[in-house]
Amino acid sequence: MAKPAQGAKYRGSIHDFPGFDPNQDAEALYTAMKGFGSDKEAILDIITSRSNRQRQEVCQSYKSLYGKDLIDNLKYELTGKFERLIVGLMRPPAYCDAKEIKDAISGIGTDEKCLIEILASRTNEQMHQLVAAYKDAYERDLEADIIGDTSGHFQKMLVVLLQGTREEDDVVSEDLVQQDVQDLYEAGELKWGTDEAQFIYILGNRSKQHLRLVFDEYLKTTGKPIEASIRGELSGDFEKLMLAVVKCIRSTPEYFAERLFKAMKGLGTRDNTLIRIMVSRSELDMLDIREIFRTKYEKSLYSMIKNDTSGEYKKTLLKLCGGDDDAAGQFFPEAAQVAYQMWELSAVARVELKGTVRPANDFNPDADAKALRKAMKGLGTDEDTIIDIITHRSNAQRQQIRQTFKSHFGRDLMADLKSEISGDLARLILGLMMPPAHYDAKQLKKAMEGAGTDEKALIEILATRTNAEIRAISEAYKEDYHKSLEDAISSDTSGHFRRILISLATGNREEGGENLDQAREDAQEIADTPSGDKTSLETRFMTILCTRSYPHLRRVFQEFIKMTNYDVEHTIKKEMSGDVRDAFVAIVQSVKNTPLFFADKLYKSMKGAGTDEKTLTRIMVSRSEIDLLNIRREFIEKYDKSLHQAIEGDTSGDFLKALLALCGGED
């Protein structure tokens, strides 16, 4: 078992069993496997209640007492996922890693994800033990086997990591940090092509403390996180490996929390990944993984395992997990500090917002107007030309084209487009042709007209727009529909939900920075509301969430976590319901990370049976010149596939072409 550093607190979920007697355990396991069938409960209870060091003693006692190999007997008696999990626990950690890597490179094909996970996350000492265990177990050289099964820069980085020679000095040279930042920048962003060797050398050898400072300085120097440069400059398995290295440098427990979440989300479970992580981290940092999992995904690792697995396999995994952080008293005090640190990092990492649609160079509104007229004249319509022109011009340029079209041909371009194209493509193209404020005003009008109200559209728009955008929307609404936006909202909604929307629609959110003393007061204000006092709770949340500036609210959320051990979003979901809950959650998510909020909305609009084309269109139109590039990055980071791929798999025809043109590229 890997011991924590001197003075460090043990963060595993499995401990040495008090009063341990290896002979007694060996006898109990022999009895559990004797005769017809086996007592699986007894087996899992003993093995999950002993540390790995104690399990090795049990193996030795079993052989001494019965002349049999305990692992062989367990393999014979157990089956399936439960057998793989129990046998994995019985191996020493380095031998377990060696077996995983051997399986990953044996036979046809290679499990690159397994190689990446293990080699990107292990310490120097763990790497040396792994190499030795592989040699002992298989009488083969691990480096030679990896070289024989991989290629290119992916292979080179794996070999570098395998050496286990990462610097471990905590003393960091500021000059070297600046030099590494410059070298990485010149190797990627400033170079035609990419100098992969620089990325390999720096990310494969520098100490974790040094690299964390490099990442911070890289963001300040280039305006983008190192992950964005890696995605832009590298590709394939090499890109995935380098991103995993960066994640482990930033926070190894967070890397594994994310891997566990992805192993269980959606249809099906990636059991090999789930088993490998639960076994390998149970005596290292499982408590940290649990805390980050709870904070990041707003559900406990325990509850997700419980809902996603079954039988003795589930019982064993839950024992390794060690507790349910959704249960009363189980959410550790340390979680507040972990969450707080995550917030601090996110507050520093304010990246520049970038759209995918920019003003066209050598713009000629006269030529564009003529080309559009030609595309719509005569029999049939040239949709490709329409899509190409409109998706590659900024909104300001499109307004110039509209004016030029009317001057040249005495015709209204919007009316002509309406008569020539239809369906989803028409909604998308016509949306792009409208000034942003008028487009949002129209979406709000549609959300409130007719039978029923589209509350989700109202929330999405009003919870995410800036003061200036809200005011422009209000003016556009008044101009287009001869009614104030506030009156329209008042007549179509009710209760606290109406009050929230009207507050947002005033566009009077404070715009200053954070005030720490006020943030503490605000956090205390919403934390002190008695559970069950729903009216008071909603009023207090509205007063703060709808009026305070975004930087100030980020600080409020941090202080709330420190006071309560809970993320504010979790509290909202637990204490509130319906449209009020959805509105507050949208505000919180937008304050935390607006591009991620829209990435989630886009993903939900395309997952499952059917596509929510209205939401898809609304977001692609409204964010194309604001932050769609950032949304793309958040999308691939969270869902392991690009927005381009999701759109390609979920839409078709000219609508697909137009959406991909707006998307702006494949990540």
Side-chain angles (χ1 to χ4, degrees), residues 7 37 53 56 157 309 499 587 659:
R53 178 187 62 78
Q56 304 317 308
M157 185 61 176
T309 58
R499 292 174 59 200
I587 295 169
L659 287 172

Side-chain angles (χ1 to χ4, degrees), residues 374-383 420:
K374 184 179 178 182
M376 295 185 284
K377 197 174 180 181
L379 190 64
T381 305
D382 182 357
E383 286 89 354
E420 292 293 330

Side-chain angles (χ1 to χ4, degrees), residues 21-135:
D21 183 337
N23 287 337
Q24 185 177 322
D25 284 349
E27 290 170 6
L29 287 169
Y30 181 78
T31 301
M33 293 185 282
K34 192 177 178 183
F36 183 72
S38 55
D39 185 350
K40 297 180 179 66
E41 286 278 354
I43 293 170
L44 76 87
D45 187 57
I46 291 170
I47 291 174
T48 59
S49 301
R50 309 297 184 267
S51 67
N52 192 276
R53 178 187 62 78
Q54 291 175 331
R55 293 181 207 126
Q56 304 317 308
E57 291 186 52
V58 174
C59 279
Q60 189 59 51
S61 293
Y62 194 90
K63 184 164 280 189
S64 298
L65 288 170
Y66 305 109
K68 295 181 177 183
D69 185 90
L70 176 54
I71 290 180
D72 286 346
N73 280 13
L74 287 166
K75 284 181 180 178
Y76 181 79
E77 291 292 334
L78 309 177
T79 59
K81 294 174 285 192
F82 180 54
E83 178 257 318
R84 294 205 305 275
L85 178 56
I86 291 295
V87 169
L89 287 167
M90 293 307 302
R91 292 192 176 101
Y95 285 81
C96 193
D97 279 351
K99 176 70 164 63
E100 290 292 320
I101 287 185
K102 186 72 169 66
D103 290 345
I105 57 179
S106 295
I108 299 171
T110 305
D111 183 353
E112 290 86 3
K113 289 183 179 179
C114 173
L115 292 180
I116 290 169
E117 180 195 298
I118 293 174
L119 298 185
S121 64
R122 299 316 191 242
T123 64
N124 287 347
E125 182 184 356
Q126 289 167 339
M127 208 69 82
H128 299 154
Q129 292 170 351
L130 164 60
V131 170
Y134 192 91
K135 185 79 170 177

